[in-house]
Each structure stands twice: as structure tokens, then as C-alpha cells.
Amino acid sequence: MMYRTLSVLLCAAAAQGFGSRPARLASKAPMRMSIGWNSHEAINQAPPSLVKGTDEEGGMRQRFEKLCREAQDSICKAIEEVDGEAKFTEDAWVRESGGGGISRVLRKGKVFEKAGCNLSVVYGTMPQEALAAATERGVDRAKGMKPGERVPFFACGLSSVMHPRNPFAPTMHFNYRYFETDGGVWWFGGGTDITPSYLNEDDMKHFHGTYKDVCDKHDPEYYQKFKKWADEYFYIPHRNETRGLGGIFFDDQNDRDQEKHFAFSKDCLAAVVPAYAPIVEAHKDDEYTQQNKEWQQMRRGRYVEFNLVYDRGTVFGLKTGGRIESILMSLPETAQWEYNFKPEEGTPEAEITKVFQTPRDWL
């Protein structure tokens, strides 16, 4: 699935940084609102709203930011409880052109080697080609704009990646976002996906079942549609395999009442902890061997390959002056590449590799 419209913008924005163009290029166009590598200013504490003054009171911009900030608080609290030792550190930042973000990272925990949960609020202008890169194929979000005219936009999103220590506890990622242009075009996107190193079918049934319940509450066709989209997006062409075992993904969603899309995003965010935390709790203390750990490291290598080569949010952020620390937050602290490694037939490593090569249904 060519995953995100806004993943581009908001994986670049939230878990991965967001931008419009490098500062050195923006300097050639004075008086234009743009985002660059040095346009992020650290602050001691984030203001009550990073959207204040850009939206009517109670508008979708403010409401979506509030939703993301509340979810960031509750998810980080839950992950700290699962870890039992480490705490998230927080840094906040703003941009001169407007917006900013709150980045939270937990490192070297008892359960989690690294976990991050980033909020980003961005508004400014962007080139039409950058918007096209951020959008699903065939979707024109700059309709009506003159050739070469920059597109005024607003974007808000929350993104997260969790990397546990134990090879039998899977990595999890989510990103939920709202985007609009000053021309009145708006849409929602998001998704939650899981990346295990070893196959546990009960875990996959729990994870996918949790999100199917959420999807069914809103539309009986959502789960199959969004699961397929996730399987297609998190694909590594040069390996002929998926990054993980999927989940759901949706993008360019504006085909029904805005409130319905907002409610779906809200329920998806609320499902992150119940879908993921019980799996980590079940495996955080599993015994494992050095071979298990090395396999986890190799699978993390695949995670890095996908994020740096194919993930549109990461690539967009790197090319357009996003905040580097937020962009690279998604990467694991350790990974490994072994030349021409092929798991031995009949092993657990070979078993899950076959599933990476041929996505399957879990329910």
C-alpha cells in the first residue's frame, strides 16, 4: 500500500518530522512561509495549544490536536507501566512559520529498548509537487491552484514506534493525522501495524481482532479494505517481503461526514494500548537465545530498509527540511545485516519469513 498521504506529511510530521523545503532553498524566496532544517526552535514547555489562533474555536484543527495530545499522554503512561522502569523524556519545539511539536522518547528501559510518541502541528505553504508526493496516486489535492503556486496547508498528527528488547515481543507503529488546505480541502489518514520477529498466531488474532472490532463499529467493509491497504504499503520490493504482519491503514478519507471520520480516528487511537500492550506483557519475560536476538536484529534491519528507502513519510521529511530527530525517531537503536542470510527450512525464522512473503488473513 503506498501508505500515506499524510504519512508523508505526518509521519514526517509526527513520528517522523515534517517540512516544506530546506532552509537554504527557502532563503531564496523571501516572505514565503516555509519550513527548513533550522526552523525548529526548542521551548521549555509546549503551550496549551499549538493551533491557537489558526482555527475557529472548537474547529477540527483544535479538536484533532486535543485528541492527539490526550492520546499521547495516555499511551505514554500505559507504555511506562508496561516497562516498569524507564520514563519518557519530552522535548517541545515550535516553528516561526507556525505550529510545532512534542516529542517523547523512552530509551534503555527494562522492556523497551526504545519507544517514541511524537505530536506535530504544522501549517504554512508547500510546493504543489511536495503535496503530490504526499498524496495517494490519482488524488489531486491542489485542484484549482495555478501552476507553480504554493499550497497553504495545515497538518496535525500523532505517530509512534515501540521497539521491545525481547525478540518474542513485536514492534508496533501507528500514525493518525488530519490535513487540510486553505482551499477547503480536508482529509483524514492513519493506521496501526505490528512487526514481530517470530510468529504467534494468537497474538496476531488479538491484534487484528481488536482493530476489526473498531472497524466494524464504523463500517463492515473497513477492516478488509484497510488491512489490504496496510499489507500493500508495508512492502519491501527489493526483498520481496513485507516489513511486518500488517494491521490497518487508511488515507485520503473524506467521503463522508467529517465527524464520522474524526470518530473513527478517535476509536483507532483508543485501541492502540488494548491491541498491543497485552502482547508485550505476555512475551516481555520470555526466554530467548543469542540466535533469537540476532534474528530480531536482522528483522530490525528490514525495518530500517523500509523506513529509509520506501516510507514516504520519512523520505518526505528528509527531502523537505523536517526535524531530523523526529524523522529518525522511528528507527531502532540497534540493527544487523548478515550477508546473504537465509533461514534454515523448518525453523521458526523460516516460518515467519514465508508469511512476510505471502501476507495472510488472521481472522
Side-chain angles (χ1 to χ4, degrees):
M1 107 193 171
M2 283 293 109
Y3 185 176
R4 357 175 188 188
T5 297
L6 202 47
S7 213
V8 170
L9 299 178
L10 281 178
C11 241
Q16 304 170 350
F18 181 85
S20 177
R21 62 171 57 185
R24 62 180 181 277
L25 297 182
S27 65
K28 296 180 180 180
M31 303 306 291
R32 282 181 175 176
M33 225 174 5
S34 60
I35 302 166
W37 300 111
N38 62 354
S39 65
H40 312 91
E41 177 187 350
I43 55 177
N44 291 329
Q45 185 176 357
S49 175
L50 291 162
V51 186
K52 189 175 182 180
T54 68
D55 190 22
E56 70 276 10
E57 188 67 29
M60 186 54 69
R61 296 181 179 188
Q62 289 186 357
R63 291 174 60 204
F64 199 83
E65 184 208 18
K66 182 174 184 290
L67 170 65
C68 289
R69 291 179 78 149
E70 290 174 350
Q72 186 181 40
D73 288 342
S74 62
I75 291 169
C76 289
K77 182 176 183 293
I79 293 302
E80 288 179 345
E81 291 174 354
V82 172
D83 191 86
E85 286 187 0
K87 300 293 183 181
F88 282 89
T89 60
E90 175 180 301
D91 63 316
W93 38 277
V94 294
R95 297 183 177 94
E96 184 179 354
S97 60
I102 303 171
S103 296
R104 292 181 183 172
V105 177
L106 178 154
R107 296 179 62 245
K108 304 187 186 307
K110 179 180 179 182
V111 174
F112 292 95
E113 181 177 293
K114 183 180 179 184
C117 191
N118 291 349
L119 167 77
S120 185
V121 174
V122 183
Y123 55 98
T125 66
M126 66 191 310
Q128 291 185 33
E129 57 269 24
L131 182 60
T135 305
E136 287 299 313
R137 292 169 293 182
V139 180
D140 181 11
R141 297 302 187 200
K143 191 173 182 179
M145 303 292 294
K146 297 178 181 178
E149 189 175 3
R150 294 172 68 87
V151 182
F153 72 90
F154 167 88
C156 176
L158 183 69
S159 187
S160 176
V161 180
M162 311 286 179
H163 294 290
R165 290 186 177 278
N166 196 298
F168 296 103
T171 287
M172 183 275 299
H173 158 263
F174 73 81
N175 178 282
Y176 291 93
R177 53 207 177 269
Y178 172 70
F179 187 96
E180 67 179 48
T181 69
D182 284 5
V185 178
W186 57 264
W187 69 96
F188 293 80
T192 306
D193 62 278
I194 196 162
T195 304
S197 297
Y198 288 93
L199 178 60
N200 183 303
E201 295 199 16
D202 288 339
D203 291 346
M204 294 306 99
K205 288 177 181 178
H206 170 79
F207 182 82
H208 283 265
T210 301
Y211 273 97
K212 183 178 186 301
D213 289 344
V214 173
C215 289
D216 288 350
K217 177 182 174 181
H218 293 268
D219 189 318
E221 296 182 359
Y222 269 0
Y223 174 72
Q224 285 301 327
K225 178 181 177 181
F226 296 159
K227 179 199 179 293
K228 182 175 184 292
W229 207 340
D231 288 338
E232 292 172 352
Y233 178 72
F234 293 106
Y235 178 69
I236 309 172
H238 67 267
R239 297 290 190 181
N240 191 32
E241 61 187 42
T242 57
R243 185 180 77 175
L245 298 185
I248 64 166
F249 169 78
F250 60 97
D251 211 351
D252 297 313
Q253 297 297 294
N254 65 355
D255 61 342
R256 56 193 71 187
D257 185 80
Q258 195 177 59
E259 291 300 321
K260 292 182 178 180
H261 288 301
F262 177 80
F264 182 57
S265 295
K266 182 177 181 179
D267 286 348
C268 285
L269 275 167
V272 167
V273 172
Y276 181 59
I279 297 175
V280 178
E281 289 279 12
H283 298 292
K284 64 183 182 181
D285 297 319
D286 286 2
E287 292 185 5
Y288 61 88
T289 66
Q290 181 61 29
Q291 179 181 337
N292 297 144
K293 191 65 179 178
E294 289 177 358
W295 174 249
Q296 179 198 47
Q297 296 295 297
M298 284 186 272
R299 291 312 308 175
R300 285 181 175 178
R302 297 291 202 269
Y303 204 95
V304 172
E305 289 175 28
F306 177 84
N307 280 32
L308 294 184
V309 178
Y310 299 110
D311 184 79
R312 291 191 296 161
T314 301
V315 172
F316 182 89
L318 290 172
K319 287 185 175 181
T320 57
R323 184 175 183 265
I324 291 298
E325 293 303 318
S326 296
I327 296 170
L328 299 182
M329 181 280 297
S330 66
L331 301 181
E333 289 200 345
T334 59
Q336 179 175 319
W337 285 262
E338 184 172 330
Y339 180 75
N340 200 29
F341 179 84
K342 293 182 176 60
E344 184 179 344
E345 209 46 53
T347 62
E349 292 80 9
E351 177 187 28
I352 196 168
T353 296
K354 291 178 181 178
V355 185
F356 292 142
Q357 294 169 344
T358 307
R360 52 178 284 193
D361 292 329
W362 301 104
L363 304 173

